[in-house]
PDB file of all heavy atoms in Angstrom:
ATOM      1  N   SER A1183     256.010  19.550 -40.210  1.00 94.00           N
ATOM      2  CA  SER A1183     256.201  18.188 -40.713  1.00 94.00           C
ATOM      3  C   SER A1183     255.167  17.795 -41.763  1.00 94.00           C
ATOM      4  O   SER A1183     255.466  17.029 -42.686  1.00 94.00           O
ATOM      5  CB  SER A1183     256.143  17.188 -39.558  1.00 94.00           C
ATOM      6  OG  SER A1183     257.145  17.462 -38.601  1.00 94.00           O
ATOM      7  N   TYR A1184     253.952  18.329 -41.633  1.00 90.00           N
ATOM      8  CA  TYR A1184     252.888  17.951 -42.559  1.00 90.00           C
ATOM      9  C   TYR A1184     252.581  19.050 -43.578  1.00 90.00           C
ATOM     10  O   TYR A1184     251.663  18.908 -44.381  1.00 90.00           O
ATOM     11  CB  TYR A1184     251.619  17.587 -41.779  1.00 90.00           C
ATOM     12  CG  TYR A1184     251.872  16.483 -40.780  1.00 90.00           C
ATOM     13  CD1 TYR A1184     251.859  16.762 -39.419  1.00 90.00           C
ATOM     14  CD2 TYR A1184     252.166  15.187 -41.195  1.00 90.00           C
ATOM     15  CE1 TYR A1184     252.117  15.762 -38.488  1.00 90.00           C
ATOM     16  CE2 TYR A1184     252.423  14.189 -40.281  1.00 90.00           C
ATOM     17  CZ  TYR A1184     252.398  14.481 -38.930  1.00 90.00           C
ATOM     18  OH  TYR A1184     252.664  13.491 -38.029  1.00 90.00           O
ATOM     19  N   GLY A1185     253.363  20.131 -43.509  1.00 95.00           N
ATOM     20  CA  GLY A1185     253.234  21.182 -44.512  1.00 95.00           C
ATOM     21  C   GLY A1185     251.940  21.958 -44.470  1.00 95.00           C
ATOM     22  O   GLY A1185     251.543  22.553 -45.481  1.00 95.00           O
ATOM     23  N   ASP A1186     251.280  21.989 -43.311  1.00 96.00           N
ATOM     24  CA  ASP A1186     249.991  22.685 -43.252  1.00 96.00           C
ATOM     25  C   ASP A1186     249.945  23.764 -42.163  1.00 96.00           C
ATOM     26  O   ASP A1186     248.876  24.197 -41.742  1.00 96.00           O
ATOM     27  CB  ASP A1186     248.857  21.685 -43.020  1.00 96.00           C
ATOM     28  CG  ASP A1186     249.082  20.820 -41.771  1.00 96.00           C
ATOM     29  OD1 ASP A1186     250.088  21.041 -41.063  1.00 96.00           O
ATOM     30  OD2 ASP A1186     248.245  19.928 -41.525  1.00 96.00           O
ATOM     31  N   ILE A1187     251.110  24.208 -41.699  1.00 96.00           N
ATOM     32  CA  ILE A1187     251.174  25.273 -40.685  1.00 96.00           C
ATOM     33  C   ILE A1187     251.408  26.604 -41.378  1.00 96.00           C
ATOM     34  O   ILE A1187     252.254  26.723 -42.266  1.00 96.00           O
ATOM     35  CB  ILE A1187     252.277  24.988 -39.656  1.00 96.00           C
ATOM     36  CG1 ILE A1187     251.949  23.716 -38.865  1.00 96.00           C
ATOM     37  CG2 ILE A1187     252.460  26.180 -38.708  1.00 96.00           C
ATOM     38  CD1 ILE A1187     253.042  23.300 -37.898  1.00 96.00           C
ATOM     39  N   LEU A1188     250.634  27.596 -40.942  1.00 96.00           N
ATOM     40  CA  LEU A1188     250.741  28.943 -41.500  1.00 96.00           C
ATOM     41  C   LEU A1188     251.761  29.747 -40.706  1.00 96.00           C
ATOM     42  O   LEU A1188     251.748  29.733 -39.471  1.00 96.00           O
ATOM     43  CB  LEU A1188     249.383  29.648 -41.447  1.00 96.00           C
ATOM     44  CG  LEU A1188     249.345  31.086 -41.974  1.00 96.00           C
ATOM     45  CD1 LEU A1188     249.383  31.082 -43.498  1.00 96.00           C
ATOM     46  CD2 LEU A1188     248.085  31.805 -41.479  1.00 96.00           C
ATOM     47  N   VAL A1189     252.644  30.432 -41.387  1.00 95.00           N
ATOM     48  CA  VAL A1189     253.598  31.342 -40.759  1.00 95.00           C
ATOM     49  C   VAL A1189     253.186  32.764 -41.125  1.00 95.00           C
ATOM     50  O   VAL A1189     253.066  33.102 -42.307  1.00 95.00           O
ATOM     51  CB  VAL A1189     255.041  31.068 -41.226  1.00 95.00           C
ATOM     52  CG1 VAL A1189     255.994  32.115 -40.644  1.00 95.00           C
ATOM     53  CG2 VAL A1189     255.481  29.678 -40.806  1.00 95.00           C
ATOM     54  N   ARG A1190     252.980  33.586 -40.109  1.00 93.00           N
ATOM     55  CA  ARG A1190     252.607  34.984 -40.328  1.00 93.00           C
ATOM     56  C   ARG A1190     253.824  35.883 -40.108  1.00 93.00           C
ATOM     57  O   ARG A1190     254.493  35.779 -39.076  1.00 93.00           O
ATOM     58  CB  ARG A1190     251.490  35.415 -39.369  1.00 93.00           C
ATOM     59  CG  ARG A1190     250.182  34.695 -39.564  1.00 93.00           C
ATOM     60  CD  ARG A1190     249.168  35.143 -38.524  1.00 93.00           C
ATOM     61  NE  ARG A1190     248.884  36.561 -38.644  1.00 93.00           N
ATOM     62  CZ  ARG A1190     248.253  37.267 -37.706  1.00 93.00           C
ATOM     63  NH1 ARG A1190     247.871  36.684 -36.578  1.00 93.00           N
ATOM     64  NH2 ARG A1190     248.026  38.553 -37.880  1.00 93.00           N
ATOM     65  N   ASP A1191     254.076  36.740 -41.064  1.00 90.00           N
ATOM     66  CA  ASP A1191     255.125  37.751 -40.911  1.00 90.00           C
ATOM     67  C   ASP A1191     254.446  39.030 -40.440  1.00 90.00           C
ATOM     68  O   ASP A1191     254.037  39.873 -41.226  1.00 90.00           O
ATOM     69  CB  ASP A1191     255.843  37.974 -42.246  1.00 90.00           C
ATOM     70  CG  ASP A1191     256.879  39.075 -42.151  1.00 90.00           C
ATOM     71  OD1 ASP A1191     257.504  39.207 -41.092  1.00 90.00           O
ATOM     72  OD2 ASP A1191     257.054  39.818 -43.136  1.00 90.00           O
ATOM     73  N   ARG A1192     254.305  39.138 -39.125  1.00 88.00           N
ATOM     74  CA  ARG A1192     253.618  40.292 -38.530  1.00 88.00           C
ATOM     75  C   ARG A1192     254.673  41.195 -37.918  1.00 88.00           C
ATOM     76  O   ARG A1192     255.171  40.933 -36.832  1.00 88.00           O
ATOM     77  CB  ARG A1192     252.616  39.829 -37.481  1.00 88.00           C
ATOM     78  CG  ARG A1192     251.780  40.959 -36.919  1.00 88.00           C
ATOM     79  CD  ARG A1192     250.770  40.435 -35.907  1.00 88.00           C
ATOM     80  NE  ARG A1192     249.937  41.501 -35.402  1.00 88.00           N
ATOM     81  CZ  ARG A1192     249.000  41.339 -34.469  1.00 88.00           C
ATOM     82  NH1 ARG A1192     248.796  40.140 -33.953  1.00 88.00           N
ATOM     83  NH2 ARG A1192     248.286  42.366 -34.054  1.00 88.00           N
ATOM     84  N   LYS A1193     254.993  42.258 -38.605  1.00 88.00           N
ATOM     85  CA  LYS A1193     256.111  43.109 -38.207  1.00 88.00           C
ATOM     86  C   LYS A1193     255.745  44.006 -37.024  1.00 88.00           C
ATOM     87  O   LYS A1193     254.629  44.498 -36.920  1.00 88.00           O
ATOM     88  CB  LYS A1193     256.567  43.950 -39.405  1.00 88.00           C
ATOM     89  CG  LYS A1193     257.226  43.108 -40.494  1.00 88.00           C
ATOM     90  CD  LYS A1193     257.634  43.956 -41.698  1.00 88.00           C
ATOM     91  CE  LYS A1193     256.439  44.341 -42.529  1.00 88.00           C
ATOM     92  NZ  LYS A1193     255.812  43.161 -43.172  1.00 88.00           N
ATOM     93  N   MET A1194     256.717  44.193 -36.154  1.00 89.00           N
ATOM     94  CA  MET A1194     256.622  45.148 -35.051  1.00 89.00           C
ATOM     95  C   MET A1194     257.787  46.106 -35.164  1.00 89.00           C
ATOM     96  O   MET A1194     258.922  45.691 -35.350  1.00 89.00           O
ATOM     97  CB  MET A1194     256.681  44.425 -33.698  1.00 89.00           C
ATOM     98  CG  MET A1194     256.900  45.337 -32.498  1.00 89.00           C
ATOM     99  SD  MET A1194     255.476  46.387 -32.142  1.00 89.00           S
ATOM    100  CE  MET A1194     254.404  45.177 -31.348  1.00 89.00           C
ATOM    101  N   TYR A1195     257.493  47.395 -35.094  1.00 93.00           N
ATOM    102  CA  TYR A1195     258.530  48.417 -35.192  1.00 93.00           C
ATOM    103  C   TYR A1195     258.750  49.036 -33.816  1.00 93.00           C
ATOM    104  O   TYR A1195     257.798  49.258 -33.060  1.00 93.00           O
ATOM    105  CB  TYR A1195     258.122  49.494 -36.201  1.00 93.00           C
ATOM    106  CG  TYR A1195     257.658  48.930 -37.522  1.00 93.00           C
ATOM    107  CD1 TYR A1195     256.302  48.793 -37.799  1.00 93.00           C
ATOM    108  CD2 TYR A1195     258.575  48.510 -38.485  1.00 93.00           C
ATOM    109  CE1 TYR A1195     255.874  48.262 -38.999  1.00 93.00           C
ATOM    110  CE2 TYR A1195     258.146  47.976 -39.693  1.00 93.00           C
ATOM    111  CZ  TYR A1195     256.788  47.854 -39.942  1.00 93.00           C
ATOM    112  OH  TYR A1195     256.370  47.317 -41.135  1.00 93.00           O
ATOM    113  N   VAL A1196     259.985  49.305 -33.495  1.00 95.00           N
ATOM    114  CA  VAL A1196     260.342  49.937 -32.225  1.00 95.00           C
ATOM    115  C   VAL A1196     261.155  51.189 -32.554  1.00 95.00           C
ATOM    116  O   VAL A1196     262.223  51.099 -33.161  1.00 95.00           O
ATOM    117  CB  VAL A1196     261.153  48.990 -31.326  1.00 95.00           C
ATOM    118  CG1 VAL A1196     261.519  49.693 -30.019  1.00 95.00           C
ATOM    119  CG2 VAL A1196     260.365  47.713 -31.048  1.00 95.00           C
ATOM    120  N   ALA A1197     260.629  52.338 -32.186  1.00 96.00           N
ATOM    121  CA  ALA A1197     261.264  53.610 -32.537  1.00 96.00           C
ATOM    122  C   ALA A1197     261.691  54.358 -31.281  1.00 96.00           C
ATOM    123  O   ALA A1197     261.078  54.194 -30.212  1.00 96.00           O
ATOM    124  CB  ALA A1197     260.294  54.481 -33.342  1.00 96.00           C
ATOM    125  N   PRO A1198     262.723  55.186 -31.377  1.00 96.00           N
ATOM    126  CA  PRO A1198     263.131  55.993 -30.215  1.00 96.00           C
ATOM    127  C   PRO A1198     262.109  57.076 -29.921  1.00 96.00           C
ATOM    128  O   PRO A1198     261.434  57.582 -30.830  1.00 96.00           O
ATOM    129  CB  PRO A1198     264.469  56.595 -30.658  1.00 96.00           C
ATOM    130  CG  PRO A1198     264.399  56.610 -32.148  1.00 96.00           C
ATOM    131  CD  PRO A1198     263.588  55.413 -32.544  1.00 96.00           C
ATOM    132  N   THR A1199     261.986  57.423 -28.665  1.00 97.00           N
ATOM    133  CA  THR A1199     261.105  58.523 -28.270  1.00 97.00           C
ATOM    134  C   THR A1199     261.880  59.838 -28.286  1.00 97.00           C
ATOM    135  O   THR A1199     263.115  59.846 -28.242  1.00 97.00           O
ATOM    136  CB  THR A1199     260.545  58.298 -26.854  1.00 97.00           C
ATOM    137  OG1 THR A1199     261.614  58.477 -25.904  1.00 97.00           O
ATOM    138  CG2 THR A1199     259.943  56.912 -26.703  1.00 97.00           C
ATOM    139  N   PRO A1200     261.182  60.955 -28.316  1.00 97.00           N
ATOM    140  CA  PRO A1200     261.882  62.245 -28.205  1.00 97.00           C
ATOM    141  C   PRO A1200     262.659  62.397 -26.907  1.00 97.00           C
ATOM    142  O   PRO A1200     263.652  63.134 -26.863  1.00 97.00           O
ATOM    143  CB  PRO A1200     260.745  63.276 -28.290  1.00 97.00           C
ATOM    144  CG  PRO A1200     259.631  62.582 -28.962  1.00 97.00           C
ATOM    145  CD  PRO A1200     259.742  61.141 -28.540  1.00 97.00           C
ATOM    146  N   PHE A1201     262.247  61.700 -25.850  1.00 97.00           N
ATOM    147  CA  PHE A1201     262.975  61.787 -24.588  1.00 97.00           C
ATOM    148  C   PHE A1201     264.368  61.179 -24.729  1.00 97.00           C
ATOM    149  O   PHE A1201     265.294  61.575 -24.021  1.00 97.00           O
ATOM    150  CB  PHE A1201     262.205  61.085 -23.478  1.00 97.00           C
ATOM    151  CG  PHE A1201     260.888  61.733 -23.154  1.00 97.00           C
ATOM    152  CD1 PHE A1201     259.700  61.099 -23.477  1.00 97.00           C
ATOM    153  CD2 PHE A1201     260.829  62.976 -22.556  1.00 97.00           C
ATOM    154  CE1 PHE A1201     258.476  61.694 -23.196  1.00 97.00           C
ATOM    155  CE2 PHE A1201     259.620  63.587 -22.272  1.00 97.00           C
ATOM    156  CZ  PHE A1201     258.431  62.938 -22.593  1.00 97.00           C
ATOM    157  N   ALA A1202     264.524  60.209 -25.652  1.00 96.00           N
ATOM    158  CA  ALA A1202     265.834  59.622 -25.909  1.00 96.00           C
ATOM    159  C   ALA A1202     266.595  60.403 -26.978  1.00 96.00           C
ATOM    160  O   ALA A1202     267.822  60.489 -26.932  1.00 96.00           O
ATOM    161  CB  ALA A1202     265.686  58.163 -26.350  1.00 96.00           C
ATOM    162  N   LEU A1203     265.880  60.972 -27.924  1.00 97.00           N
ATOM    163  CA  LEU A1203     266.523  61.667 -29.039  1.00 97.00           C
ATOM    164  C   LEU A1203     267.025  63.059 -28.660  1.00 97.00           C
ATOM    165  O   LEU A1203     268.017  63.529 -29.223  1.00 97.00           O
ATOM    166  CB  LEU A1203     265.549  61.801 -30.215  1.00 97.00           C
ATOM    167  CG  LEU A1203     265.171  60.508 -30.947  1.00 97.00           C
ATOM    168  CD1 LEU A1203     264.052  60.789 -31.945  1.00 97.00           C
ATOM    169  CD2 LEU A1203     266.381  59.925 -31.648  1.00 97.00           C
ATOM    170  N   ALA A1204     266.359  63.715 -27.735  1.00 97.00           N
ATOM    171  CA  ALA A1204     266.650  65.127 -27.465  1.00 97.00           C
ATOM    172  C   ALA A1204     266.896  65.374 -25.988  1.00 97.00           C
ATOM    173  O   ALA A1204     266.035  65.073 -25.147  1.00 97.00           O
ATOM    174  CB  ALA A1204     265.509  66.001 -27.966  1.00 97.00           C
ATOM    175  N   GLU A1205     268.056  65.904 -25.675  1.00 97.00           N
ATOM    176  CA  GLU A1205     268.362  66.335 -24.314  1.00 97.00           C
ATOM    177  C   GLU A1205     267.558  67.595 -23.981  1.00 97.00           C
ATOM    178  O   GLU A1205     267.376  68.471 -24.821  1.00 97.00           O
ATOM    179  CB  GLU A1205     269.855  66.653 -24.183  1.00 97.00           C
ATOM    180  CG  GLU A1205     270.774  65.456 -24.361  1.00 97.00           C
ATOM    181  CD  GLU A1205     270.779  64.549 -23.147  1.00 97.00           C
ATOM    182  OE1 GLU A1205     270.220  64.945 -22.106  1.00 97.00           O
ATOM    183  OE2 GLU A1205     271.353  63.450 -23.251  1.00 97.00           O
ATOM    184  N   GLY A1206     267.099  67.655 -22.739  1.00 97.00           N
ATOM    185  CA  GLY A1206     266.372  68.838 -22.295  1.00 97.00           C
ATOM    186  C   GLY A1206     264.868  68.709 -22.390  1.00 97.00           C
ATOM    187  O   GLY A1206     264.149  69.670 -22.081  1.00 97.00           O
ATOM    188  N   THR A1207     264.376  67.533 -22.788  1.00 97.00           N
ATOM    189  CA  THR A1207     262.930  67.349 -22.891  1.00 97.00           C
ATOM    190  C   THR A1207     262.326  66.767 -21.619  1.00 97.00           C
ATOM    191  O   THR A1207     261.128  66.953 -21.374  1.00 97.00           O
ATOM    192  CB  THR A1207     262.589  66.436 -24.079  1.00 97.00           C
ATOM    193  OG1 THR A1207     263.345  65.221 -23.979  1.00 97.00           O
ATOM    194  CG2 THR A1207     262.921  67.116 -25.403  1.00 97.00           C
ATOM    195  N   ALA A1208     263.128  66.079 -20.816  1.00 96.00           N
ATOM    196  CA  ALA A1208     262.605  65.475 -19.592  1.00 96.00           C
ATOM    197  C   ALA A1208     262.169  66.558 -18.616  1.00 96.00           C
ATOM    198  O   ALA A1208     262.847  67.573 -18.426  1.00 96.00           O
ATOM    199  CB  ALA A1208     263.662  64.582 -18.947  1.00 96.00           C
ATOM    200  N   HIS A1209     261.007  66.348 -18.010  1.00 96.00           N
ATOM    201  CA  HIS A1209     260.449  67.240 -16.988  1.00 96.00           C
ATOM    202  C   HIS A1209     260.151  68.638 -17.553  1.00 96.00           C
ATOM    203  O   HIS A1209     260.136  69.621 -16.803  1.00 96.00           O
ATOM    204  CB  HIS A1209     261.391  67.330 -15.783  1.00 96.00           C
ATOM    205  CG  HIS A1209     261.873  65.996 -15.310  1.00 96.00           C
ATOM    206  ND1 HIS A1209     261.024  65.022 -14.838  1.00 96.00           N
ATOM    207  CD2 HIS A1209     263.124  65.458 -15.282  1.00 96.00           C
ATOM    208  CE1 HIS A1209     261.726  63.947 -14.508  1.00 96.00           C
ATOM    209  NE2 HIS A1209     262.999  64.184 -14.777  1.00 96.00           N
ATOM    210  N   ARG A1210     259.932  68.695 -18.840  1.00 97.00           N
ATOM    211  CA  ARG A1210     259.579  69.949 -19.514  1.00 97.00           C
ATOM    212  C   ARG A1210     258.420  69.700 -20.467  1.00 97.00           C
ATOM    213  O   ARG A1210     257.977  68.579 -20.665  1.00 97.00           O
ATOM    214  CB  ARG A1210     260.781  70.514 -20.283  1.00 97.00           C
ATOM    215  CG  ARG A1210     261.964  70.900 -19.408  1.00 97.00           C
ATOM    216  CD  ARG A1210     261.662  72.156 -18.618  1.00 97.00           C
ATOM    217  NE  ARG A1210     262.808  72.619 -17.854  1.00 97.00           N
ATOM    218  CZ  ARG A1210     263.022  72.367 -16.563  1.00 97.00           C
ATOM    219  NH1 ARG A1210     262.157  71.610 -15.896  1.00 97.00           N
ATOM    220  NH2 ARG A1210     264.080  72.851 -15.947  1.00 97.00           N
ATOM    221  N   ARG A1211     257.959  70.771 -21.102  1.00 98.00           N
ATOM    222  CA  ARG A1211     256.884  70.687 -22.090  1.00 98.00           C
ATOM    223  C   ARG A1211     257.400  71.347 -23.361  1.00 98.00           C
ATOM    224  O   ARG A1211     257.617  72.569 -23.393  1.00 98.00           O
ATOM    225  CB  ARG A1211     255.638  71.389 -21.545  1.00 98.00           C
ATOM    226  CG  ARG A1211     255.114  70.730 -20.258  1.00 98.00           C
ATOM    227  CD  ARG A1211     254.110  71.588 -19.549  1.00 98.00           C
ATOM    228  NE  ARG A1211     254.744  72.680 -18.814  1.00 98.00           N
ATOM    229  CZ  ARG A1211     255.009  72.664 -17.514  1.00 98.00           C
ATOM    230  NH1 ARG A1211     254.739  71.591 -16.804  1.00 98.00           N
ATOM    231  NH2 ARG A1211     255.557  73.703 -16.925  1.00 98.00           N
ATOM    232  N   THR A1212     257.595  70.544 -24.421  1.00 98.00           N
ATOM    233  CA  THR A1212     258.349  71.000 -25.581  1.00 98.00           C
ATOM    234  C   THR A1212     257.614  70.667 -26.870  1.00 98.00           C
ATOM    235  O   THR A1212     257.051  69.573 -27.019  1.00 98.00           O
ATOM    236  CB  THR A1212     259.739  70.332 -25.616  1.00 98.00           C
ATOM    237  OG1 THR A1212     260.374  70.488 -24.329  1.00 98.00           O
ATOM    238  CG2 THR A1212     260.613  70.946 -26.696  1.00 98.00           C
ATOM    239  N   LEU A1213     257.652  71.603 -27.801  1.00 98.00           N
ATOM    240  CA  LEU A1213     257.138  71.419 -29.157  1.00 98.00           C
ATOM    241  C   LEU A1213     258.323  71.330 -30.109  1.00 98.00           C
ATOM    242  O   LEU A1213     259.211  72.182 -30.081  1.00 98.00           O
ATOM    243  CB  LEU A1213     256.243  72.600 -29.544  1.00 98.00           C
ATOM    244  CG  LEU A1213     255.738  72.651 -30.997  1.00 98.00           C
ATOM    245  CD1 LEU A1213     254.772  71.507 -31.278  1.00 98.00           C
ATOM    246  CD2 LEU A1213     255.072  74.002 -31.278  1.00 98.00           C
TER     247      LEU A1213
END
């Protein structure tokens, strides 16, 4: 209302993990 509030555009990224991207990685050790 008074034009003196700061708005921050602070981005958050959410990415898939290899456990979601690749079958066969759960309960294993994979490179």
Side-chain angles (χ1 to χ4, degrees):
S1183 300
Y1184 303 110
D1186 55 3
I1187 296 176
L1188 179 76
V1189 175
R1190 296 177 62 194
D1191 176 35
R1192 185 178 182 182
K1193 291 178 285 294
M1194 167 69 77
Y1195 310 99
V1196 179
T1199 71
F1201 295 110
L1203 291 172
E1205 295 284 350
T1207 53
H1209 313 298
R1210 297 288 185 263
R1211 298 167 283 262
T1212 310
L1213 173 67

